[in-house]
Amino acid sequence: MNAEQTEKLRKLIDKEIEELKLTIERVKDTVQPVVPDDAIGRLTRMEAINAKSVSEATLRSYQARLNKLKSALHNIDEPDFGICAGCEEPIPFKRLMVMPESRMCVSCIENR
Ligand SMILES: [Zn+2]
């Protein structure tokens, strides 16, 4: 990556981290203890419990991505940033713009 690409990617990761933090806050609001039956309205208690576990899974995956993005941001100035961990070829910039946290090129992931 050249310096211009690094800056572009840095801004993108920054933006995604901010957005993800907001999303996590919103999901957290839905992961509250299951409320007593009379407060649920049309939802049955089972449905409420179900919805809660879905939100928790979603929350975990968002938090995992947030951590990956943070470490990408941390490592962006390292010489091996953007180098595939499999074949050690540069990961295409286009791919990094879509998935800045990727550590491998598409073909290495497919061949894993
Ligand atoms: Zn590769």
Side-chain angles (χ1 to χ4, degrees), residues 80 82-91 103-106 108-109:
D80 62 350
I83 304 294
C84 173
C87 63
E88 299 184 354
E89 293 290 323
I91 299 170
R103 287 278 170 275
M104 280 190 178
C105 69
V106 176
C108 284
I109 286 179

Side-chain angles (χ1 to χ4, degrees), residues 16-82:
E16 292 210 16
I17 287 178
E18 285 313 307
E19 285 175 2
L20 207 51
K21 279 183 183 164
L22 291 176
T23 309
I24 287 171
E25 285 310 308
R26 272 204 304 275
V27 176
K28 266 187 185 162
D29 284 344
T30 68
V31 188
Q32 299 296 336
V34 176
V35 287
D37 289 344
D38 59 336
I40 295 175
R42 276 172 35 201
L43 274 185
T44 66
R45 194 172 168 78
M46 273 317 284
E47 279 170 326
I49 291 167
N50 225 354
K52 183 174 180 281
S53 69
V54 169
S55 305
E56 279 169 352
T58 308
L59 194 58
R60 270 197 301 276
S61 75
Y62 284 151
Q63 272 166 343
R65 176 145 205 257
L66 182 63
N67 289 338
K68 284 184 193 164
L69 285 171
K70 279 182 180 169
S71 84
L73 196 60
H74 185 75
N75 295 325
I76 198 165
D77 291 317
E78 299 293 324
D80 62 350
F81 182 85

